Amino acid sequence: MAETTDNLSFILNKPFDVTFAQQPKPELTSPHDVLVAINYTGICGSDVHYWEHGRIGSFILKEPMVLGHESAGTITAIGSSVTTLAVGDRVALEPGTPCRRCEPCLSGHYNLCPLMKFAATPPFGGTLTGFYTSAEDFCYKLPPHVTLQEGALLEPLAVAVHIVKQAELKPGQSIVVMGAGPVGLLCCAVAKAYGASVIASVDIQPARLEFAKRYAATHTFTPARVSAEENAANLLKELGLPSGTDAVIDASGAEPSIQTSIHTVRRGGVYVQGGMGKPEITFPIMELCTKEVTCKGSFRYGSGDYKLALEFVIKGLVDVKPLISRTVEFTDAEQAFKDVKGGQGIKVLIKGPNEK
């Protein structure tokens, strides 16, 4: 990447209204920060949701905001107190900076920090821009054999790592993952790295299931238009696990998938909600209670998740490259968002405005 001051940014003004505009090149305001020239950014479902609706839950777009948070780049400047990184280092960016002082932060759950400054989450701008500042300890140096494109996929991989950690999965156990989007597929890959013996991917799109089987799943299942109980019974029959699976992850947020999940997990098993959907749903609470299912939410990623994600990639335990459907020029970002909304491909990367 040539030395440049171009800071062209992809800005969301309101739902379906985006512009490309130059913004001032950011300056380092802390001696512990670094300035990163963004090379690649992946499109996340949350980016598309903001583009469509202008809000996710209580996070509401009230003024123009730069989109993007799945990024990797090259360091162009460092603060005076930075000791572990240098100009020219290629890094993956963890896009949220916590306050480091609240009870969740001090207890090791900084992803739950109420003062989190997270990229492309109102009111904070994102990484679909030329340059972005980040804290030194939230940048992860990539070794020579890991590409910047792979670095951009560390963010969804870290999400999957956190979800699978929440599932308390152990070697030899069985797991079902509802939804074969990027995070669901990566959950399957992480479960494989954890040593799961049965990994079932569930989705309604045949192409996604075909990819899942090639990628990391040992089994695939297409739910029918029947009750959640019947879908769960059919799934468990195919898996040869009539008593249920050790863990189920919902990475879809779809109400029928959530209902089927509770009927699929074994007595005393673990259910993790990783996907976001409607604010309220009909939930099989009696099944949850009588089976003593441990039910957990999962939000972003916490301490050690990015490091483990990078280790999986470095050691070849998880290959993120097959998920990259294509890479587009920065000025084609809006069309890329439309394509992702239309279900084209798995993961689309957008080049930084200075990437040639």
Side-chain angles (χ1 to χ4, degrees):
M1 178 180 290
E3 188 66 29
T4 179
T5 59
D6 187 21
N7 199 41
L8 187 65
S9 304
F10 185 58
I11 301 169
L12 177 66
N13 301 305
K14 59 184 179 180
F16 297 112
D17 179 2
V18 292
T19 54
F20 293 94
Q22 288 286 347
Q23 292 195 327
K25 185 177 179 180
E27 297 182 356
L28 298 178
T29 57
S30 166
H32 300 284
D33 286 355
V34 298
L35 182 65
V36 181
I38 302 297
N39 293 92
Y40 296 96
T41 298
I43 300 177
C44 175
S46 65
D47 293 315
V48 176
H49 196 89
Y50 278 120
W51 174 65
E52 283 188 86
H53 305 286
R55 66 179 297 166
I56 294 179
S58 61
F59 298 104
I60 302 171
L61 182 72
K62 296 180 179 178
E63 57 186 29
M65 176 185 77
V66 176
L67 289 166
H69 63 272
E70 300 181 359
S71 295
T74 306
I75 293 179
T76 61
I78 62 173
S80 59
S81 298
V82 172
T83 60
T84 63
L85 297 171
V87 171
D89 283 348
R90 302 172 314 122
V91 295
L93 294 170
E94 182 170 349
T97 304
C99 76
R100 307 173 190 263
R101 298 176 180 85
C102 66
E103 187 61 32
C105 284
L106 295 176
S107 64
H109 303 285
Y110 66 75
N111 57 313
L112 304 180
C113 174
L115 300 177
M116 174 72 76
K117 297 178 180 179
F118 199 87
T121 298
F124 306 106
T127 57
L128 277 170
T129 184
F131 295 88
Y132 189 81
T133 57
S134 176
E136 171 189 16
D137 52 336
F138 281 77
C139 291
Y140 299 84
K141 185 177 178 179
L142 303 177
H145 72 282
V146 176
T147 68
L148 283 159
Q149 291 94 326
E150 291 174 282
L153 265 74
L154 284 190
E155 197 276 346
L157 179 54
V159 170
V161 166
H162 190 70
I163 292 172
V164 175
K165 279 185 178 181
Q166 291 288 81
E168 302 177 23
L169 192 66
K170 299 177 179 60
Q173 287 192 325
S174 57
I175 187 167
V176 168
V177 179
M178 300 287 182
V183 170
L185 292 167
L186 287 168
C187 283
C188 290
V190 173
K192 183 177 180 180
Y194 266 62
S197 59
V198 174
I199 306 166
S201 177
V202 179
D203 204 286
I204 59 174
Q205 296 187 33
R208 289 286 176 96
L209 292 180
E210 290 172 11
F211 183 93
K213 191 63 180 291
R214 296 194 306 269
Y215 186 58
T218 61
H219 299 74
T220 60
F221 179 78
T222 304
R225 291 183 176 274
V226 296
S227 67
E229 294 93 331
E230 189 173 346
N231 268 322
N234 292 337
L235 170 57
L236 293 174
K237 183 178 180 180
E238 289 194 17
L239 298 180
L241 297 170
S243 298
T245 58
D246 295 301
V248 179
I249 289 167
D250 177 72
S252 73
E255 185 171 359
S257 295
I258 295 168
Q259 294 165 343
T260 301
S261 297
I262 302 302
H263 292 285
T264 300
V265 67
R266 67 167 171 81
R267 294 176 181 271
V270 180
Y271 169 71
V272 181
Q273 186 61 48
M276 294 186 181
K278 295 190 300 184
E280 296 182 8
I281 62 168
T282 301
F283 189 83
I285 191 168
M286 285 299 295
E287 187 78 359
L288 179 80
C289 293
T290 57
K291 293 200 299 188
E292 281 200 358
V293 174
T294 298
C295 184
K296 298 180 179 181
S298 187
F299 187 55
R300 294 173 179 161
Y301 21 74
S303 182
D305 294 335
Y306 246 84
K307 289 182 179 179
L308 183 56
L310 180 56
E311 280 298 306
F312 280 155
V313 173
I314 289 173
K315 295 179 178 179
L317 294 172
V318 173
D319 185 4
V320 297
K321 295 189 296 295
L323 273 68
I324 302 173
S325 303
R326 65 187 184 283
T327 301
V328 303
E329 299 296 329
F330 191 79
T331 50
D332 294 327
E334 183 174 8
Q335 183 59 49
F337 269 66
K338 293 177 181 177
D339 293 344
V340 171
K341 181 181 182 297
Q344 297 183 33
I346 296 174
K347 181 60 68 174
V348 176
L349 297 185
I350 300 172
K351 291 182 180 180
N354 303 309
E355 179 69 18
K356 304 303 180 186

